[in-house]
Amino acid sequence: MSAYKVGIVGITGAVGQEILELLTARNFPVSELRPLASARSAGKKVEFDEKTWTIREATPDSFEGLDFAIFSAGGSISKLLAPEAVKRGCVVIDNSSAFRMDPNVPLVVPEINSHTLREHKGIVANPNCSTAIALMALYPLHKAFGLKRFFASTYQAVSGTGAAAMAELKNQVAAWAAGKPIEHHVYPYQIAFNVLPHVDLFLPDGYTKEEMKMYNEGRKIMELPDLKCTCTCVRVPVFRAHSISIDAEFERPVDVKVARRAISEFPGAEVCDDPANKIYPMPLDFQRKVKCGVGRIRKNTAFDNGLAFWVCGDQLWKGAALNAIQIAEEMRNQDLLPQH
């Protein structure tokens, strides 16, 4: 079995740590791990495959000799270093938004559009977390009924902001329980026992960048350039795993039993839908799960050919690290990864 020389940019972050864990859990063949981060983390150690590896500063030359690298250090780092990695023969799987809407860069959810990987020119983009999770329900329903438009409201875990946000939620809950003042630094307001209808930066039209990612990325991944959607993204006091409420309209008449069957047969999702027994997807149940959960499936009462449903998925897994590794696995299967 061939093994690969793999770089991880942003190794010290929440997503970087999940990538390490999943590479081991999924038995991805790695001959060399090159952990990369900012200069302040250089020299620190990480454990992987029963070995100790030293973190290097991410620079253009640090990609020399690598087969592929997964970037999870933000858009500015990706824009700066991804082209440098490609120049050195390294394939980049990028978790940031830097290249998602670039027409020359495949934006990939392997269960949906792995065929586009053959078009890559050195960089493959990983979608936004909410988009990837929502599509685990929307795509099989699209195949069954023909998706026309959808409306989404997200309930996004603090893991989407990173490790500092997870620590802030924990500290705020502890302060509340101890009767101490609650401080906030990561978010503009207290997140504990609160919800913030504000994820990412606001745009002139009143939507946020996060909300427009759902709109634009869903169109590209499903190859539906005329798909209509509107989205409201909300940050909630949950540590990890996003939840999304979706109302979708389809071209053809819908049937709830057919919808459940379509989702259950789709490799990225599982049906969790028995309201009589209080069974429905919840973020606590879909932490560290490969599949996303879909439930509360019912006919929409606002328009014809509509379904309402609820999706939960781990933001750090299917929304980031897992999807990136699944891309690498699929590229390996298609013999699209170089080997130095």
Side-chain angles (χ1 to χ4, degrees):
M1 179 187 293
S2 299
Y4 297 87
K5 297 177 180 179
V6 181
I8 301 176
V9 183
I11 190 72
T12 59
V15 175
Q17 292 299 300
E18 298 294 330
I19 291 169
L20 270 187
E21 179 181 326
L22 286 166
L23 284 171
T24 299
R26 296 176 71 84
N27 296 312
F28 192 93
V30 178
S31 60
E32 178 191 337
L33 177 73
R34 198 171 297 175
L36 302 168
S38 64
R40 65 178 177 273
S41 295
K44 294 180 180 177
K45 309 292 184 181
V46 296
E47 301 296 322
F48 175 74
D49 195 24
E50 300 181 346
K51 298 177 185 176
T52 300
W53 307 82
T54 302
I55 297 175
R56 303 188 193 181
E57 180 183 0
T59 65
D61 289 338
S62 59
F63 301 96
E64 200 72 54
L66 287 180
D67 299 319
F68 72 92
I70 302 176
F71 277 54
S72 296
S76 60
I77 297 298
S78 293
K79 288 178 181 178
L80 179 67
L81 292 179
E84 296 294 336
V86 173
K87 286 179 186 176
R88 290 159 174 80
C90 174
V91 169
V92 170
I93 301 171
D94 184 44
N95 269 319
S96 81
S97 61
F99 303 103
R100 288 176 187 155
M101 300 315 298
D102 186 325
N104 295 312
V105 175
L107 176 63
V108 177
V109 175
E111 297 93 336
I112 298 175
N113 64 336
S114 61
H115 62 279
T116 62
L117 288 169
R118 293 196 169 276
E119 303 166 8
H120 88 84
K121 297 177 175 61
I123 299 174
V124 178
N126 212 25
N128 176 254
C129 49
S130 294
T131 302
I133 292 165
L135 293 185
M136 292 300 96
L138 282 167
Y139 185 72
L141 293 175
H142 164 61
K143 299 300 287 184
F145 307 117
L147 183 60
K148 183 177 179 181
R149 59 176 173 167
F150 70 94
F151 305 79
S153 294
T154 71
Y155 301 70
Q156 295 183 219
V158 297
S159 56
T161 312
M166 297 173 77
E168 178 155 292
L169 174 57
K170 181 179 179 179
N171 292 339
Q172 287 180 357
V173 172
W176 177 86
K180 296 180 179 179
I182 294 177
E183 298 181 356
H184 61 86
H185 305 284
V186 176
Y187 295 117
Y189 302 99
Q190 172 185 326
I191 185 62
F193 316 108
N194 198 15
V195 297
L196 307 179
H198 175 188
V199 180
D200 212 328
L201 301 174
F202 283 101
L203 299 169
D205 63 2
Y207 283 87
T208 67
K209 291 176 68 176
E210 185 86 355
E211 290 158 356
M212 295 311 297
K213 289 171 188 175
M214 181 84 76
Y215 179 88
N216 292 314
E217 294 176 22
R219 285 179 158 197
K220 183 173 178 178
I221 294 165
M222 291 193 287
E223 299 177 345
L224 295 172
D226 298 321
L227 177 65
K228 295 180 179 180
C229 96
T230 190
C231 181
T232 299
C233 290
V234 182
R235 189 72 67 188
V236 298
V238 169
F239 281 107
R240 59 187 288 169
H242 290 353
S243 303
I244 308 172
S245 173
I246 300 175
D247 293 273
E249 184 180 16
F250 299 91
E251 300 286 353
R252 299 184 291 277
V254 299
D255 180 279
V256 170
K257 289 183 179 179
V258 174
R260 288 197 181 106
R261 185 167 65 247
I263 292 165
S264 66
E265 292 173 352
F266 184 65
E270 64 180 83
V271 174
C272 180
D273 191 24
D274 185 2
N277 291 302
K278 301 181 178 64
I279 294 173
Y280 29 72
M282 296 181 292
L284 282 177
D285 295 329
F286 281 87
Q287 297 179 105
R288 299 182 177 278
K289 290 194 75 169
V290 171
K291 292 187 177 184
C292 296
V294 187
R296 298 295 317 279
I297 304 168
R298 59 209 188 275
K299 285 193 174 182
N300 185 289
T301 56
F303 42 67
D304 295 334
N305 300 341
L307 289 169
F309 47 94
W310 172 261
V311 192
C312 284
D314 192 318
Q315 180 273 327
L316 292 173
W317 277 29
K318 190 56 187 174
L322 174 63
N323 198 74
I325 292 173
Q326 288 173 322
I327 289 172
E329 291 170 342
E330 185 59 34
M331 294 185 79
R332 179 170 177 263
N333 293 339
Q334 295 188 35
D335 198 24
L336 296 175
L337 287 177
Q339 284 199 283
H340 291 83

